[in-house]
Amino acid sequence: MSLAASSPGAQGKSGRPFPFPVELLGLLGLGLLWWLLTLPAVTGNPFLEQFSPGAALPALTRLLAEGTLWEHLLVSLKRVMVGLGLAFVIGAPLGLLVGSSRLLERATEPAFQLLRMISPLSWMPLAVMVLGVGDAPIYLLLALAGLWPILFAAAGGVKNLNASWLDLGRSLSATRGEMFWHITLPGILGSLLQGVRLAIGTLWILLVPCEMLGVRAGLGYFILDTRDRLAYPELMATVVLIGLLGYLLDAAARWLVGRFQGNN
């Protein structure tokens, strides 16, 4: 559920629309807080001025104009999509099986809950030892991070299917394939998309530490590179870009969920 009603049409208690998008208030407040926390007159620390909006935003514009960040950005997006794809291919079918069988659910729930509570970053040393340095361990860690939201969303969707739909399908002598494509899949798609949205957020948060595994490209690698070069405005610019991209990815996922729910 959204934190507030949307956009320019949001209304106050009087029922009259606000004259501007209220979402801007939060963003403006965040920007003001960022500026204050890096203002030497407030913090007494001139070093923090290198992380200020006045330093980071011009650096971000320059890095994008020069094309320096585009390679790292595309590499990071590719890793997220591959990790999400692996998580979906494994988690969705497994969730369908678990949600369809009460016995299987009882047998697997303790193990799944135990594994879910282990941070994917805990597997980092083992992933590197087994798969070496490169994209492979990153894909594995991201897939582990996205697996559980998708798996539990699929299982919950199956468990919450309207029983009358299933009874109707059986009364019409529908085959298993017909039951799946015409009843089960449409019935769980909303829950499944919510799971995908949660998985995207989780993967995006874990991406930066995963990209500190010795790879030579990606936003996480670029943050380390800017730190080593003492290019602190560029470091903060990359942090801002990560936040903006994460917001856009979540907005796209929310749009997809809302579009599906609006059609049902």
Side-chain angles (χ1 to χ4, degrees):
M1 180 179 290
S2 177
L3 292 177
S6 308
S7 70
Q11 297 181 343
K13 292 183 178 180
S14 64
R16 292 176 300 189
F18 289 116
F20 57 90
V22 294
E23 293 85 353
L24 287 179
L25 289 176
L27 292 175
L28 290 173
L30 181 61
L32 178 62
L33 181 62
W34 176 17
W35 175 71
L36 288 174
L37 291 177
T38 55
L39 195 64
V42 174
T43 63
N45 187 350
F47 174 74
L48 291 178
E49 195 171 11
Q50 298 184 74
F51 299 90
S52 69
L57 296 181
L60 177 60
T61 303
R62 176 176 54 80
L63 289 171
L64 291 175
E66 293 173 351
T68 305
L69 272 177
W70 288 108
E71 175 191 355
H72 300 289
L73 186 156
L74 293 175
V75 168
S76 292
L77 288 176
K78 174 191 171 185
R79 287 169 179 154
V80 168
M81 292 300 106
V82 172
L84 182 66
L86 291 172
F88 188 87
V89 167
I90 298 170
L94 193 55
L96 287 171
L97 289 174
V98 171
S100 301
S101 169
R102 178 61 181 161
L103 178 61
L104 184 59
E105 180 188 14
R106 291 178 60 189
T108 58
E109 183 175 13
F112 285 165
Q113 292 293 348
L114 186 151
L115 290 171
R116 182 177 71 89
M117 298 307 294
I118 300 175
S119 168
L121 295 179
S122 302
W123 301 106
M124 188 180 292
L126 182 60
V128 172
M129 285 190 291
V130 173
L131 300 174
V133 175
D135 283 345
I138 296 177
Y139 294 152
L140 174 62
L141 296 175
L142 294 179
L144 286 173
L147 174 64
W148 308 113
I150 294 174
L151 189 156
F152 287 121
V158 173
K159 289 171 61 179
N160 293 324
L161 276 174
N162 192 325
S164 61
W165 297 353
L166 300 174
D167 293 337
L168 178 61
R170 295 188 190 100
S171 68
L172 295 174
S173 301
T175 64
R176 287 187 176 181
E178 291 171 336
M179 291 278 285
F180 175 77
W181 288 110
H182 298 290
I183 297 177
T184 303
L185 185 58
I188 71 167
L189 194 54
S191 297
L192 195 54
L193 290 176
Q194 290 284 7
V196 169
R197 180 191 171 192
L198 291 173
I200 290 173
T202 304
L203 265 66
W204 193 248
I205 290 171
L206 287 175
L207 175 67
V208 170
C210 285
E211 287 185 329
M212 296 177 179
L213 285 174
V215 294
R216 304 297 296 175
L219 295 174
Y221 161 79
F222 192 70
I223 284 181
L224 287 181
D225 180 59
T226 56
R227 182 203 63 183
D228 294 340
R229 293 187 288 110
L230 306 181
Y232 299 121
E234 293 185 8
L235 188 157
M236 194 62 196
T238 309
V239 171
V240 171
L241 180 62
I242 289 171
L244 290 173
L245 287 174
Y247 176 84
L248 292 175
L249 287 172
D250 184 70
R254 280 189 285 118
W255 175 84
L256 187 61
V257 172
R259 184 175 178 83
F260 169 78
Q261 292 177 341
N263 292 333
N264 288 272

